[in-house]
Amino acid sequence: YFSKVHKEDRERVRAAYRNLIEGHTEKVCEEFRVVSNESGHWHMEWVEAQATVETRDCDGRPLSLVGTSLVISERKQMEQELLTARDRAEESNRLKSAFLANMSHELRTPLNAIIGFSELLMDDPAPTEKQEYMRIIRSNGEVLMQQLSDILDLSKIEAGTLGYEYSDVELNAVMEELEGGFRMRQPENSPVRITFHRKYPVRYIRTDRKRLIQVIANLLSNAVKFTSEGSVDFGFEIRGGELYVYVADTGAGIPEEHRGQLFQRFVKAGSFRQGIGIGLAISKSIVETMGGRIGVESRPGKGSTFWFTLPCKPEQ
């Protein structure tokens, strides 16, 4: 009887029956795993066993036991699924609470800058200072707009209403537009070079231009944010039936234990960096909805390469 009980449960079940026989308890009620070898294949079931003493000898010692044995594998699976769902719900609530706290701080930061430098402008500063104040206001306004846009996109994703519009897109034009835009945002004499590496003279694919730009811009923004000097290089290749887009930087890199969390909602790669921690999760949702994959390769201290793929549907 005990030889079929899973080795991790065996001693516990033995002890329960021993306590029954020795009179320490009046009933056994245990759940345990039973292992069997049927037709050369190992099989495991969960069993619920109940037993009590049926007859005793004249000295009161047990002679026989009576009880039931019920297979409860399906019930145990349901219990495990419920526990997993509960754990996920608790983790989701924890992350959302952290997200809301972080979001309020991150939205307040650019708002404070916009209000503060607007007040300075009212004091009629020198022309050079005025230009710098206006640049700071515009920069923080763009940050605030992006954060609000991310929050709106996340709500649409959760509601299943984020729209997609497909058209024929020339990829080099998209990449050059992004390269120019990010270079313009860089301060003068920036130690970080942003470069699009063009591989094809012309390349059209049918995709959603807005969502494609959104994902690449998100990866570029993160790369610039985490790179204090060196380069941010990006480009694309056609690999079989897929478009492969990459963004490589020479920044801080990401420890292996943190990479699995990067694409989860409300998780930030670095708590000291500006942002609300949903950009990569939004990118992952967009890429997967469009039929692709997204990932990262990184070496701490050496940099990271974020990449994603999309089905490649050439212009007809």
Side-chain angles (χ1 to χ4, degrees), residues 235-272:
F236 69 91
E237 299 176 7
I238 305 300
R239 298 182 175 181
E242 287 187 328
L243 166 68
Y244 172 85
V245 180
Y246 66 90
V247 176
D249 64 65
T250 58
I254 305 161
E256 185 174 357
E257 61 270 20
H258 293 159
R259 290 174 209 162
Q261 303 175 347
L262 284 177
F263 298 99
Q264 295 178 16
R265 295 176 185 180
F266 320 125
V267 173
K268 298 176 70 177
S271 59
F272 57 95

PDB file of all heavy atoms in Angstrom, residues 235-272:
ATOM      1  N   GLY A 235      18.064  49.380 -37.284  1.00  0.00           N
ATOM      2  CA  GLY A 235      17.862  49.049 -38.682  1.00  0.00           C
ATOM      3  C   GLY A 235      16.917  47.880 -38.819  1.00  0.00           C
ATOM      4  O   GLY A 235      16.260  47.471 -37.861  1.00  0.00           O
ATOM      5  N   PHE A 236      16.854  47.326 -40.029  1.00  0.00           N
ATOM      6  CA  PHE A 236      15.960  46.188 -40.258  1.00  0.00           C
ATOM      7  C   PHE A 236      16.535  45.272 -41.327  1.00  0.00           C
ATOM      8  O   PHE A 236      17.386  45.663 -42.138  1.00  0.00           O
ATOM      9  CB  PHE A 236      14.559  46.675 -40.678  1.00  0.00           C
ATOM     10  CG  PHE A 236      14.517  47.301 -42.058  1.00  0.00           C
ATOM     11  CD1 PHE A 236      14.254  46.536 -43.182  1.00  0.00           C
ATOM     12  CD2 PHE A 236      14.733  48.666 -42.217  1.00  0.00           C
ATOM     13  CE1 PHE A 236      14.212  47.110 -44.446  1.00  0.00           C
ATOM     14  CE2 PHE A 236      14.704  49.244 -43.481  1.00  0.00           C
ATOM     15  CZ  PHE A 236      14.441  48.465 -44.593  1.00  0.00           C
ATOM     16  N   GLU A 237      16.083  44.040 -41.288  1.00  0.00           N
ATOM     17  CA  GLU A 237      16.438  43.040 -42.296  1.00  0.00           C
ATOM     18  C   GLU A 237      15.187  42.247 -42.652  1.00  0.00           C
ATOM     19  O   GLU A 237      14.254  42.150 -41.858  1.00  0.00           O
ATOM     20  CB  GLU A 237      17.508  42.077 -41.760  1.00  0.00           C
ATOM     21  CG  GLU A 237      18.820  42.723 -41.380  1.00  0.00           C
ATOM     22  CD  GLU A 237      19.794  41.730 -40.762  1.00  0.00           C
ATOM     23  OE1 GLU A 237      19.467  40.521 -40.763  1.00  0.00           O
ATOM     24  OE2 GLU A 237      20.854  42.158 -40.268  1.00  0.00           O
ATOM     25  N   ILE A 238      15.187  41.691 -43.841  1.00  0.00           N
ATOM     26  CA  ILE A 238      14.130  40.771 -44.247  1.00  0.00           C
ATOM     27  C   ILE A 238      14.700  39.364 -44.131  1.00  0.00           C
ATOM     28  O   ILE A 238      15.673  39.012 -44.804  1.00  0.00           O
ATOM     29  CB  ILE A 238      13.646  41.034 -45.682  1.00  0.00           C
ATOM     30  CG1 ILE A 238      13.213  42.492 -45.831  1.00  0.00           C
ATOM     31  CG2 ILE A 238      12.510  40.074 -46.041  1.00  0.00           C
ATOM     32  CD1 ILE A 238      12.080  42.908 -44.908  1.00  0.00           C
ATOM     33  N   ARG A 239      14.128  38.584 -43.252  1.00  0.00           N
ATOM     34  CA  ARG A 239      14.600  37.224 -42.998  1.00  0.00           C
ATOM     35  C   ARG A 239      13.476  36.244 -43.315  1.00  0.00           C
ATOM     36  O   ARG A 239      12.548  36.077 -42.538  1.00  0.00           O
ATOM     37  CB  ARG A 239      15.033  37.065 -41.544  1.00  0.00           C
ATOM     38  CG  ARG A 239      16.204  37.960 -41.145  1.00  0.00           C
ATOM     39  CD  ARG A 239      16.599  37.713 -39.693  1.00  0.00           C
ATOM     40  NE  ARG A 239      17.788  38.484 -39.325  1.00  0.00           N
ATOM     41  CZ  ARG A 239      18.358  38.437 -38.125  1.00  0.00           C
ATOM     42  NH1 ARG A 239      17.833  37.670 -37.176  1.00  0.00           N
ATOM     43  NH2 ARG A 239      19.440  39.162 -37.856  1.00  0.00           N
ATOM     44  N   GLY A 240      13.598  35.635 -44.497  1.00  0.00           N
ATOM     45  CA  GLY A 240      12.543  34.715 -44.908  1.00  0.00           C
ATOM     46  C   GLY A 240      11.243  35.477 -45.082  1.00  0.00           C
ATOM     47  O   GLY A 240      11.156  36.455 -45.820  1.00  0.00           O
ATOM     48  N   GLY A 241      10.227  35.057 -44.365  1.00  0.00           N
ATOM     49  CA  GLY A 241       8.939  35.731 -44.443  1.00  0.00           C
ATOM     50  C   GLY A 241       8.708  36.710 -43.322  1.00  0.00           C
ATOM     51  O   GLY A 241       7.557  37.032 -43.005  1.00  0.00           O
ATOM     52  N   GLU A 242       9.799  37.188 -42.715  1.00  0.00           N
ATOM     53  CA  GLU A 242       9.657  38.085 -41.571  1.00  0.00           C
ATOM     54  C   GLU A 242      10.469  39.358 -41.745  1.00  0.00           C
ATOM     55  O   GLU A 242      11.532  39.363 -42.359  1.00  0.00           O
ATOM     56  CB  GLU A 242      10.120  37.412 -40.278  1.00  0.00           C
ATOM     57  CG  GLU A 242       9.202  36.353 -39.727  1.00  0.00           C
ATOM     58  CD  GLU A 242       9.667  35.865 -38.360  1.00  0.00           C
ATOM     59  OE1 GLU A 242      10.885  35.851 -38.124  1.00  0.00           O
ATOM     60  OE2 GLU A 242       8.804  35.491 -37.540  1.00  0.00           O
ATOM     61  N   LEU A 243       9.936  40.430 -41.194  1.00  0.00           N
ATOM     62  CA  LEU A 243      10.696  41.663 -41.018  1.00  0.00           C
ATOM     63  C   LEU A 243      11.337  41.609 -39.637  1.00  0.00           C
ATOM     64  O   LEU A 243      10.658  41.368 -38.646  1.00  0.00           O
ATOM     65  CB  LEU A 243       9.762  42.876 -41.099  1.00  0.00           C
ATOM     66  CG  LEU A 243      10.345  44.205 -40.605  1.00  0.00           C
ATOM     67  CD1 LEU A 243      11.443  44.687 -41.540  1.00  0.00           C
ATOM     68  CD2 LEU A 243       9.242  45.257 -40.457  1.00  0.00           C
ATOM     69  N   TYR A 244      12.648  41.810 -39.579  1.00  0.00           N
ATOM     70  CA  TYR A 244      13.388  41.811 -38.317  1.00  0.00           C
ATOM     71  C   TYR A 244      13.899  43.221 -38.091  1.00  0.00           C
ATOM     72  O   TYR A 244      14.654  43.764 -38.907  1.00  0.00           O
ATOM     73  CB  TYR A 244      14.552  40.822 -38.384  1.00  0.00           C
ATOM     74  CG  TYR A 244      15.498  40.866 -37.205  1.00  0.00           C
ATOM     75  CD1 TYR A 244      15.237  40.153 -36.049  1.00  0.00           C
ATOM     76  CD2 TYR A 244      16.662  41.634 -37.257  1.00  0.00           C
ATOM     77  CE1 TYR A 244      16.112  40.186 -34.963  1.00  0.00           C
ATOM     78  CE2 TYR A 244      17.552  41.678 -36.186  1.00  0.00           C
ATOM     79  CZ  TYR A 244      17.266  40.949 -35.052  1.00  0.00           C
ATOM     80  OH  TYR A 244      18.140  40.987 -33.981  1.00  0.00           O
ATOM     81  N   VAL A 245      13.479  43.854 -36.997  1.00  0.00           N
ATOM     82  CA  VAL A 245      13.901  45.211 -36.640  1.00  0.00           C
ATOM     83  C   VAL A 245      14.697  45.136 -35.336  1.00  0.00           C
ATOM     84  O   VAL A 245      14.301  44.433 -34.401  1.00  0.00           O
ATOM     85  CB  VAL A 245      12.685  46.137 -36.451  1.00  0.00           C
ATOM     86  CG1 VAL A 245      13.143  47.546 -36.072  1.00  0.00           C
ATOM     87  CG2 VAL A 245      11.839  46.179 -37.716  1.00  0.00           C
ATOM     88  N   TYR A 246      15.813  45.867 -35.277  1.00  0.00           N
ATOM     89  CA  TYR A 246      16.634  45.838 -34.072  1.00  0.00           C
ATOM     90  C   TYR A 246      17.002  47.255 -33.641  1.00  0.00           C
ATOM     91  O   TYR A 246      17.078  48.181 -34.460  1.00  0.00           O
ATOM     92  CB  TYR A 246      17.922  45.039 -34.310  1.00  0.00           C
ATOM     93  CG  TYR A 246      18.858  45.682 -35.318  1.00  0.00           C
ATOM     94  CD1 TYR A 246      19.846  46.582 -34.908  1.00  0.00           C
ATOM     95  CD2 TYR A 246      18.742  45.403 -36.684  1.00  0.00           C
ATOM     96  CE1 TYR A 246      20.691  47.189 -35.823  1.00  0.00           C
ATOM     97  CE2 TYR A 246      19.590  46.002 -37.603  1.00  0.00           C
ATOM     98  CZ  TYR A 246      20.557  46.893 -37.163  1.00  0.00           C
ATOM     99  OH  TYR A 246      21.386  47.505 -38.071  1.00  0.00           O
ATOM    100  N   VAL A 247      17.211  47.418 -32.348  1.00  0.00           N
ATOM    101  CA  VAL A 247      17.735  48.657 -31.769  1.00  0.00           C
ATOM    102  C   VAL A 247      18.824  48.241 -30.783  1.00  0.00           C
ATOM    103  O   VAL A 247      18.539  47.608 -29.770  1.00  0.00           O
ATOM    104  CB  VAL A 247      16.640  49.462 -31.045  1.00  0.00           C
ATOM    105  CG1 VAL A 247      17.261  50.686 -30.371  1.00  0.00           C
ATOM    106  CG2 VAL A 247      15.543  49.890 -32.010  1.00  0.00           C
ATOM    107  N   ALA A 248      20.070  48.583 -31.090  1.00  0.00           N
ATOM    108  CA  ALA A 248      21.216  48.173 -30.270  1.00  0.00           C
ATOM    109  C   ALA A 248      21.861  49.396 -29.636  1.00  0.00           C
ATOM    110  O   ALA A 248      22.055  50.423 -30.295  1.00  0.00           O
ATOM    111  CB  ALA A 248      22.238  47.429 -31.124  1.00  0.00           C
ATOM    112  N   ASP A 249      22.188  49.285 -28.355  1.00  0.00           N
ATOM    113  CA  ASP A 249      22.827  50.404 -27.675  1.00  0.00           C
ATOM    114  C   ASP A 249      24.069  49.925 -26.934  1.00  0.00           C
ATOM    115  O   ASP A 249      24.287  48.731 -26.760  1.00  0.00           O
ATOM    116  CB  ASP A 249      21.855  51.069 -26.691  1.00  0.00           C
ATOM    117  CG  ASP A 249      21.431  50.148 -25.547  1.00  0.00           C
ATOM    118  OD1 ASP A 249      22.294  49.763 -24.736  1.00  0.00           O
ATOM    119  OD2 ASP A 249      20.239  49.811 -25.458  1.00  0.00           O
ATOM    120  N   THR A 250      24.869  50.884 -26.501  1.00  0.00           N
ATOM    121  CA  THR A 250      26.082  50.586 -25.724  1.00  0.00           C
ATOM    122  C   THR A 250      25.895  51.043 -24.277  1.00  0.00           C
ATOM    123  O   THR A 250      26.844  51.492 -23.639  1.00  0.00           O
ATOM    124  CB  THR A 250      27.297  51.290 -26.339  1.00  0.00           C
ATOM    125  OG1 THR A 250      27.049  52.701 -26.375  1.00  0.00           O
ATOM    126  CG2 THR A 250      27.566  50.789 -27.745  1.00  0.00           C
ATOM    127  N   GLY A 251      24.677  50.921 -23.798  1.00  0.00           N
ATOM    128  CA  GLY A 251      24.338  51.418 -22.477  1.00  0.00           C
ATOM    129  C   GLY A 251      24.663  50.466 -21.348  1.00  0.00           C
ATOM    130  O   GLY A 251      25.545  49.603 -21.453  1.00  0.00           O
ATOM    131  N   ALA A 252      23.892  50.575 -20.265  1.00  0.00           N
ATOM    132  CA  ALA A 252      24.198  49.862 -19.029  1.00  0.00           C
ATOM    133  C   ALA A 252      23.974  48.367 -19.127  1.00  0.00           C
ATOM    134  O   ALA A 252      24.569  47.592 -18.373  1.00  0.00           O
ATOM    135  CB  ALA A 252      23.349  50.435 -17.889  1.00  0.00           C
ATOM    136  N   GLY A 253      23.124  47.933 -20.044  1.00  0.00           N
ATOM    137  CA  GLY A 253      22.803  46.511 -20.111  1.00  0.00           C
ATOM    138  C   GLY A 253      21.795  46.129 -19.042  1.00  0.00           C
ATOM    139  O   GLY A 253      21.496  46.902 -18.127  1.00  0.00           O
ATOM    140  N   ILE A 254      21.277  44.914 -19.150  1.00  0.00           N
ATOM    141  CA  ILE A 254      20.219  44.451 -18.242  1.00  0.00           C
ATOM    142  C   ILE A 254      20.635  43.115 -17.641  1.00  0.00           C
ATOM    143  O   ILE A 254      20.926  42.165 -18.384  1.00  0.00           O
ATOM    144  CB  ILE A 254      18.894  44.287 -19.002  1.00  0.00           C
ATOM    145  CG1 ILE A 254      18.524  45.600 -19.705  1.00  0.00           C
ATOM    146  CG2 ILE A 254      17.775  43.840 -18.068  1.00  0.00           C
ATOM    147  CD1 ILE A 254      17.529  45.431 -20.807  1.00  0.00           C
ATOM    148  N   PRO A 255      20.664  42.989 -16.317  1.00  0.00           N
ATOM    149  CA  PRO A 255      20.993  41.694 -15.699  1.00  0.00           C
ATOM    150  C   PRO A 255      20.005  40.617 -16.142  1.00  0.00           C
ATOM    151  O   PRO A 255      18.817  40.883 -16.379  1.00  0.00           O
ATOM    152  CB  PRO A 255      20.850  41.985 -14.195  1.00  0.00           C
ATOM    153  CG  PRO A 255      21.014  43.464 -14.065  1.00  0.00           C
ATOM    154  CD  PRO A 255      20.441  44.050 -15.316  1.00  0.00           C
ATOM    155  N   GLU A 256      20.506  39.402 -16.252  1.00  0.00           N
ATOM    156  CA  GLU A 256      19.694  38.301 -16.761  1.00  0.00           C
ATOM    157  C   GLU A 256      18.428  38.088 -15.942  1.00  0.00           C
ATOM    158  O   GLU A 256      17.360  37.801 -16.486  1.00  0.00           O
ATOM    159  CB  GLU A 256      20.531  37.014 -16.777  1.00  0.00           C
ATOM    160  CG  GLU A 256      19.818  35.834 -17.414  1.00  0.00           C
ATOM    161  CD  GLU A 256      20.714  34.624 -17.540  1.00  0.00           C
ATOM    162  OE1 GLU A 256      21.910  34.724 -17.188  1.00  0.00           O
ATOM    163  OE2 GLU A 256      20.234  33.577 -17.992  1.00  0.00           O
ATOM    164  N   GLU A 257      18.522  38.259 -14.625  1.00  0.00           N
ATOM    165  CA  GLU A 257      17.360  37.990 -13.776  1.00  0.00           C
ATOM    166  C   GLU A 257      16.238  39.007 -13.975  1.00  0.00           C
ATOM    167  O   GLU A 257      15.100  38.773 -13.558  1.00  0.00           O
ATOM    168  CB  GLU A 257      17.768  37.977 -12.298  1.00  0.00           C
ATOM    169  CG  GLU A 257      18.340  39.274 -11.769  1.00  0.00           C
ATOM    170  CD  GLU A 257      19.860  39.377 -11.906  1.00  0.00           C
ATOM    171  OE1 GLU A 257      20.433  38.630 -12.741  1.00  0.00           O
ATOM    172  OE2 GLU A 257      20.468  40.182 -11.184  1.00  0.00           O
ATOM    173  N   HIS A 258      16.521  40.126 -14.628  1.00  0.00           N
ATOM    174  CA  HIS A 258      15.494  41.146 -14.839  1.00  0.00           C
ATOM    175  C   HIS A 258      14.886  41.092 -16.240  1.00  0.00           C
ATOM    176  O   HIS A 258      13.859  41.718 -16.481  1.00  0.00           O
ATOM    177  CB  HIS A 258      16.077  42.545 -14.615  1.00  0.00           C
ATOM    178  CG  HIS A 258      16.470  42.804 -13.196  1.00  0.00           C
ATOM    179  ND1 HIS A 258      17.378  43.779 -12.835  1.00  0.00           N
ATOM    180  CD2 HIS A 258      16.092  42.208 -12.035  1.00  0.00           C
ATOM    181  CE1 HIS A 258      17.544  43.771 -11.529  1.00  0.00           C
ATOM    182  NE2 HIS A 258      16.773  42.820 -11.021  1.00  0.00           N
ATOM    183  N   ARG A 259      15.519  40.350 -17.147  1.00  0.00           N
ATOM    184  CA  ARG A 259      15.063  40.395 -18.542  1.00  0.00           C
ATOM    185  C   ARG A 259      13.671  39.811 -18.720  1.00  0.00           C
ATOM    186  O   ARG A 259      12.891  40.277 -19.558  1.00  0.00           O
ATOM    187  CB  ARG A 259      16.057  39.644 -19.436  1.00  0.00           C
ATOM    188  CG  ARG A 259      17.382  40.366 -19.574  1.00  0.00           C
ATOM    189  CD  ARG A 259      18.399  39.555 -20.345  1.00  0.00           C
ATOM    190  NE  ARG A 259      19.749  39.893 -19.898  1.00  0.00           N
ATOM    191  CZ  ARG A 259      20.807  39.146 -20.120  1.00  0.00           C
ATOM    192  NH1 ARG A 259      20.693  38.004 -20.787  1.00  0.00           N
ATOM    193  NH2 ARG A 259      21.990  39.525 -19.673  1.00  0.00           N
ATOM    194  N   GLY A 260      13.352  38.780 -17.924  1.00  0.00           N
ATOM    195  CA  GLY A 260      12.050  38.149 -18.080  1.00  0.00           C
ATOM    196  C   GLY A 260      10.897  39.040 -17.666  1.00  0.00           C
ATOM    197  O   GLY A 260       9.748  38.791 -18.028  1.00  0.00           O
ATOM    198  N   GLN A 261      11.171  40.109 -16.908  1.00  0.00           N
ATOM    199  CA  GLN A 261      10.117  41.002 -16.428  1.00  0.00           C
ATOM    200  C   GLN A 261       9.945  42.241 -17.296  1.00  0.00           C
ATOM    201  O   GLN A 261       8.976  42.981 -17.124  1.00  0.00           O
ATOM    202  CB  GLN A 261      10.440  41.461 -15.002  1.00  0.00           C
ATOM    203  CG  GLN A 261      10.621  40.321 -14.012  1.00  0.00           C
ATOM    204  CD  GLN A 261      11.061  40.838 -12.646  1.00  0.00           C
ATOM    205  OE1 GLN A 261      11.459  41.989 -12.509  1.00  0.00           O
ATOM    206  NE2 GLN A 261      10.975  39.981 -11.646  1.00  0.00           N
ATOM    207  N   LEU A 262      10.864  42.456 -18.240  1.00  0.00           N
ATOM    208  CA  LEU A 262      10.874  43.718 -18.969  1.00  0.00           C
ATOM    209  C   LEU A 262       9.580  43.999 -19.716  1.00  0.00           C
ATOM    210  O   LEU A 262       9.147  45.149 -19.814  1.00  0.00           O
ATOM    211  CB  LEU A 262      12.031  43.732 -19.972  1.00  0.00           C
ATOM    212  CG  LEU A 262      13.431  43.966 -19.398  1.00  0.00           C
ATOM    213  CD1 LEU A 262      14.457  43.868 -20.501  1.00  0.00           C
ATOM    214  CD2 LEU A 262      13.514  45.323 -18.717  1.00  0.00           C
ATOM    215  N   PHE A 263       8.955  42.962 -20.259  1.00  0.00           N
ATOM    216  CA  PHE A 263       7.777  43.161 -21.098  1.00  0.00           C
ATOM    217  C   PHE A 263       6.478  42.999 -20.318  1.00  0.00           C
ATOM    218  O   PHE A 263       5.407  42.942 -20.912  1.00  0.00           O
ATOM    219  CB  PHE A 263       7.821  42.199 -22.289  1.00  0.00           C
ATOM    220  CG  PHE A 263       9.008  42.425 -23.179  1.00  0.00           C
ATOM    221  CD1 PHE A 263      10.143  41.628 -23.059  1.00  0.00           C
ATOM    222  CD2 PHE A 263       9.027  43.447 -24.114  1.00  0.00           C
ATOM    223  CE1 PHE A 263      11.252  41.841 -23.867  1.00  0.00           C
ATOM    224  CE2 PHE A 263      10.129  43.670 -24.917  1.00  0.00           C
ATOM    225  CZ  PHE A 263      11.250  42.864 -24.795  1.00  0.00           C
ATOM    226  N   GLN A 264       6.588  42.901 -18.982  1.00  0.00           N
ATOM    227  CA  GLN A 264       5.389  42.860 -18.155  1.00  0.00           C
ATOM    228  C   GLN A 264       4.897  44.274 -17.903  1.00  0.00           C
ATOM    229  O   GLN A 264       5.675  45.224 -17.877  1.00  0.00           O
ATOM    230  CB  GLN A 264       5.677  42.175 -16.818  1.00  0.00           C
ATOM    231  CG  GLN A 264       6.053  40.709 -16.942  1.00  0.00           C
ATOM    232  CD  GLN A 264       6.364  40.089 -15.591  1.00  0.00           C
ATOM    233  OE1 GLN A 264       6.022  40.660 -14.548  1.00  0.00           O
ATOM    234  NE2 GLN A 264       7.001  38.938 -15.604  1.00  0.00           N
ATOM    235  N   ARG A 265       3.609  44.394 -17.684  1.00  0.00           N
ATOM    236  CA  ARG A 265       3.039  45.709 -17.436  1.00  0.00           C
ATOM    237  C   ARG A 265       3.472  46.240 -16.074  1.00  0.00           C
ATOM    238  O   ARG A 265       3.565  45.496 -15.111  1.00  0.00           O
ATOM    239  CB  ARG A 265       1.507  45.638 -17.488  1.00  0.00           C
ATOM    240  CG  ARG A 265       0.995  45.282 -18.877  1.00  0.00           C
ATOM    241  CD  ARG A 265      -0.495  45.117 -18.889  1.00  0.00           C
ATOM    242  NE  ARG A 265      -0.935  44.660 -20.196  1.00  0.00           N
ATOM    243  CZ  ARG A 265      -2.190  44.427 -20.529  1.00  0.00           C
ATOM    244  NH1 ARG A 265      -3.133  44.594 -19.632  1.00  0.00           N
ATOM    245  NH2 ARG A 265      -2.499  44.013 -21.741  1.00  0.00           N
ATOM    246  N   PHE A 266       3.704  47.541 -16.049  1.00  0.00           N
ATOM    247  CA  PHE A 266       4.017  48.288 -14.829  1.00  0.00           C
ATOM    248  C   PHE A 266       5.395  47.956 -14.269  1.00  0.00           C
ATOM    249  O   PHE A 266       5.669  48.233 -13.112  1.00  0.00           O
ATOM    250  CB  PHE A 266       2.959  48.055 -13.736  1.00  0.00           C
ATOM    251  CG  PHE A 266       1.553  48.012 -14.251  1.00  0.00           C
ATOM    252  CD1 PHE A 266       0.732  46.932 -13.986  1.00  0.00           C
ATOM    253  CD2 PHE A 266       1.059  49.046 -15.021  1.00  0.00           C
ATOM    254  CE1 PHE A 266      -0.559  46.889 -14.473  1.00  0.00           C
ATOM    255  CE2 PHE A 266      -0.234  49.018 -15.509  1.00  0.00           C
ATOM    256  CZ  PHE A 266      -1.042  47.933 -15.241  1.00  0.00           C
ATOM    257  N   VAL A 267       6.292  47.345 -15.067  1.00  0.00           N
ATOM    258  CA  VAL A 267       7.639  47.023 -14.593  1.00  0.00           C
ATOM    259  C   VAL A 267       8.625  47.949 -15.281  1.00  0.00           C
ATOM    260  O   VAL A 267       8.606  48.109 -16.500  1.00  0.00           O
ATOM    261  CB  VAL A 267       8.002  45.552 -14.897  1.00  0.00           C
ATOM    262  CG1 VAL A 267       9.464  45.289 -14.548  1.00  0.00           C
ATOM    263  CG2 VAL A 267       7.103  44.619 -14.108  1.00  0.00           C
ATOM    264  N   LYS A 268       9.523  48.566 -14.498  1.00  0.00           N
ATOM    265  CA  LYS A 268      10.541  49.474 -15.037  1.00  0.00           C
ATOM    266  C   LYS A 268      11.910  48.826 -14.938  1.00  0.00           C
ATOM    267  O   LYS A 268      12.228  48.175 -13.952  1.00  0.00           O
ATOM    268  CB  LYS A 268      10.542  50.794 -14.266  1.00  0.00           C
ATOM    269  CG  LYS A 268       9.239  51.575 -14.364  1.00  0.00           C
ATOM    270  CD  LYS A 268       9.284  52.800 -13.502  1.00  0.00           C
ATOM    271  CE  LYS A 268      10.241  53.829 -14.043  1.00  0.00           C
ATOM    272  NZ  LYS A 268      10.233  55.071 -13.251  1.00  0.00           N
ATOM    273  N   ALA A 269      12.724  49.033 -15.969  1.00  0.00           N
ATOM    274  CA  ALA A 269      14.065  48.451 -15.958  1.00  0.00           C
ATOM    275  C   ALA A 269      14.949  49.128 -14.932  1.00  0.00           C
ATOM    276  O   ALA A 269      15.854  48.527 -14.384  1.00  0.00           O
ATOM    277  CB  ALA A 269      14.691  48.557 -17.359  1.00  0.00           C
ATOM    278  N   GLY A 270      14.686  50.388 -14.665  1.00  0.00           N
ATOM    279  CA  GLY A 270      15.473  51.106 -13.669  1.00  0.00           C
ATOM    280  C   GLY A 270      14.587  52.112 -12.963  1.00  0.00           C
ATOM    281  O   GLY A 270      14.013  52.988 -13.594  1.00  0.00           O
ATOM    282  N   SER A 271      14.462  51.996 -11.672  1.00  0.00           N
ATOM    283  CA  SER A 271      13.541  52.860 -10.935  1.00  0.00           C
ATOM    284  C   SER A 271      13.969  54.322 -10.966  1.00  0.00           C
ATOM    285  O   SER A 271      13.170  55.221 -10.716  1.00  0.00           O
ATOM    286  CB  SER A 271      13.435  52.385  -9.485  1.00  0.00           C
ATOM    287  OG  SER A 271      14.701  52.410  -8.860  1.00  0.00           O
ATOM    288  N   PHE A 272      15.228  54.575 -11.308  1.00  0.00           N
ATOM    289  CA  PHE A 272      15.720  55.947 -11.314  1.00  0.00           C
ATOM    290  C   PHE A 272      15.478  56.634 -12.648  1.00  0.00           C
ATOM    291  O   PHE A 272      15.772  57.802 -12.810  1.00  0.00           O
ATOM    292  CB  PHE A 272      17.227  55.955 -11.025  1.00  0.00           C
ATOM    293  CG  PHE A 272      18.023  55.120 -11.986  1.00  0.00           C
ATOM    294  CD1 PHE A 272      18.626  55.683 -13.093  1.00  0.00           C
ATOM    295  CD2 PHE A 272      18.155  53.758 -11.780  1.00  0.00           C
ATOM    296  CE1 PHE A 272      19.352  54.902 -13.977  1.00  0.00           C
ATOM    297  CE2 PHE A 272      18.892  52.984 -12.674  1.00  0.00           C
ATOM    298  CZ  PHE A 272      19.479  53.557 -13.765  1.00  0.00           C
TER     299      PHE A 272
END
